[in-house]
Amino acid sequence: MTGSAQTKRLYLTSAPVSEANGSSAELNPSLYNRNDVSRIDFSGAGGYAVPHLESLPALIEYLSEAVLVVNSSGTIVCINSKAAQFLGHTQGALRGHCWPDFLVKRYQQHYHSLVDMGRRGLLSQQQSPAEMAIICANGDVKDIELSLSYLPSDDPLLVIVIRDLSSYKAECYKLHTLACTDPLTALANRRHFEEMLQQYWDECSRKQSPVSVLIVDVDYFKQFNDQYGHIQGDECLRRIAAAISLAVPRGQGLAARYGGEEFALILPYHDEAMAKAVALRVQHYVSLLNFCEQGLSEELAVTVSQGYASESSGQFRTPFAMLCAADTALYRAKAEGRNCISACC
């Protein structure tokens, strides 16, 4: 019998393993239980096959990852303590349970597609882990990264490795929020405004719905800063930002600090009349501001000038063109005496 066709056997034991050439190799003790002397028989195509089923629990228990093994129907054959703890069950309770039932419904089809790829021999060892979500015993939904390895045998098995992405996802969300937020006013920043303007433009164009933009500029803000100082000026901008936020319809649109004392609003599904109504609310809420809490005169008032533009029937070819039209309207409002609202021509 040639070396390539020769059956290779590996024994799970604390003793050295004698190979065909007579040399000895010590198994890594971290991979086995010293009290377990069950054998693992590799003897399939290419000289290797799946370990005997009774050996799998001992093998996966000592892995550093959360691991479970399921059969072709998705039934959990064995699971290590890390995976059981992650799912919120005991190991005994999980054996025999249908693994796909833990997956959030929208990911189940993706999982079954991966299983089918493995069955047809298309699942590469270099396959990128898939991001999915599972429902734990207490009802918590956790984001996970899932890796599959297909083990061909009379009853094909899948080795599933799951990694918790909850903290990673939370950190990514936090970083994304910070990257999109103006630190002074807590409104969206200009970068996020421009991203969302294109997104809302595409959405409204697809649905043949109107979309509007509104630009708000604080009147004579440089004089406010010069007279009361930048600390008071920053607080003034925060209060104006809060007033603008109140004017934006809940769940519709975006308010952003566009730069300096200038703010901008995206109003999807708003035609010209609806955009003007929002501008009037902005003007109203800003007029209610007082600065007594900042130690300033109760007679002190700030005003804003506003310009808006609406796309409803193809008058603007791009969202940037609509924004420019709103900016032109804003300068018309300032030229007309400020503290007023102007629409684009």
Side-chain angles (χ1 to χ4, degrees):
M1 183 179 289
T2 62
S4 60
Q6 191 175 21
T7 297
K8 300 180 181 179
R9 296 181 181 274
L10 178 62
Y11 300 93
L12 185 60
T13 174
S14 58
V17 177
S18 296
E19 299 190 335
N21 59 10
S23 62
S24 297
E26 184 75 35
L27 290 176
N28 186 338
S30 66
L31 299 179
Y32 62 87
N33 183 341
R34 291 182 182 274
N35 296 321
D36 183 0
V37 292
S38 58
R39 297 180 177 183
I40 307 173
D41 185 2
F42 293 83
S43 56
Y48 296 95
V50 181
H52 286 311
L53 186 58
E54 61 268 20
S55 305
L56 284 173
L59 280 174
I60 67 173
E61 186 60 35
Y62 288 91
L63 298 177
S64 59
E65 304 280 5
V67 181
L68 59 153
V69 179
V70 304
N71 62 19
S72 56
S73 64
T75 301
I76 297 174
V77 174
C78 58
I79 182 168
N80 67 6
S81 57
K82 295 179 181 65
Q85 182 179 10
F86 184 67
L87 293 172
H89 288 274
T90 63
Q91 289 170 279
L94 285 166
R95 293 189 193 98
H97 196 94
C98 185
W99 153 249
D101 289 347
F102 286 100
L103 292 171
V104 171
K105 189 173 183 179
R106 66 178 180 274
Y107 294 108
Q108 291 181 3
Q109 184 57 48
H110 186 196
Y111 169 78
H112 289 302
S113 297
L114 292 175
V115 172
D116 185 59
M117 288 173 62
R119 185 179 295 114
R120 291 185 289 129
L122 301 176
L123 195 65
S124 168
Q125 290 184 348
Q126 285 75 44
Q127 186 87 19
S128 298
E131 288 192 16
M132 298 188 183
I134 59 172
I135 304 173
C136 299
N138 61 0
D140 287 349
V141 175
K142 292 183 179 180
D143 293 305
I144 63 166
E145 182 182 76
L146 183 146
S147 300
L148 291 178
S149 296
Y150 190 78
L151 304 179
S153 67
D154 293 338
D155 182 15
L157 298 176
L158 281 167
V159 178
I160 299 173
V161 179
I162 53 179
R163 299 180 180 90
D164 188 1
L165 294 181
S166 300
S167 297
Y168 169 76
K169 289 279 190 176
E171 189 65 24
C172 285
Y173 178 78
K174 180 180 178 181
L175 291 173
H176 175 74
T177 301
L178 289 172
C180 295
T181 303
D182 173 62
L184 177 65
T185 63
L187 297 181
N189 59 20
R190 181 166 179 168
R191 172 179 172 273
H192 190 52
F193 172 86
E194 291 174 349
E195 289 178 352
M196 293 306 297
L197 178 60
Q198 183 66 57
Q199 183 174 315
Y200 280 127
W201 174 275
D202 293 340
E203 178 183 320
C204 291
S205 296
R206 186 171 61 254
K207 296 181 179 180
Q208 297 184 329
S209 298
V211 58
S212 299
V213 288
L214 173 65
I215 302 179
V216 183
D217 188 78
V218 183
D219 294 329
Y220 305 112
F221 185 70
K222 185 179 184 304
Q223 294 180 16
F224 187 103
N225 262 344
D226 290 344
Q227 183 171 354
Y228 301 110
H230 289 283
I231 301 299
Q232 295 283 25
D234 285 350
E235 181 59 26
C236 175
L237 289 177
R238 278 191 283 267
R239 296 170 74 96
I240 291 172
I244 291 172
S245 294
L246 289 174
V248 178
R250 185 177 297 276
Q252 295 186 47
L254 178 79
R257 185 184 181 194
Y258 198 65
E261 67 271 23
E262 200 168 63
F263 300 87
L265 285 70
I266 310 172
L267 301 168
Y269 308 105
H270 281 59
D271 58 20
E272 187 171 331
M274 297 166 72
K276 184 175 181 180
V278 172
L280 288 169
R281 288 201 298 272
V282 169
Q283 196 172 44
H284 171 69
Y285 285 124
V286 170
S287 70
L288 296 179
L289 294 176
N290 71 77
F291 301 90
C292 296
E293 294 180 2
Q294 296 176 227
L296 303 179
S297 170
E298 62 182 43
E299 297 179 358
L300 177 64
V302 295
T303 61
V304 294
S305 299
Q306 303 179 75
Y308 65 92
S310 301
E311 164 61 44
S312 58
S313 56
Q315 59 265 50
F316 300 109
R317 297 182 61 185
T318 66
F320 179 72
M322 179 175 63
L323 187 64
C324 288
D327 193 51
T328 300
L330 168 66
Y331 278 90
R332 187 181 305 112
K334 293 167 75 171
E336 291 174 355
R338 302 178 188 256
N339 191 26
C340 62
I341 301 165
S342 178
C344 70
C345 296

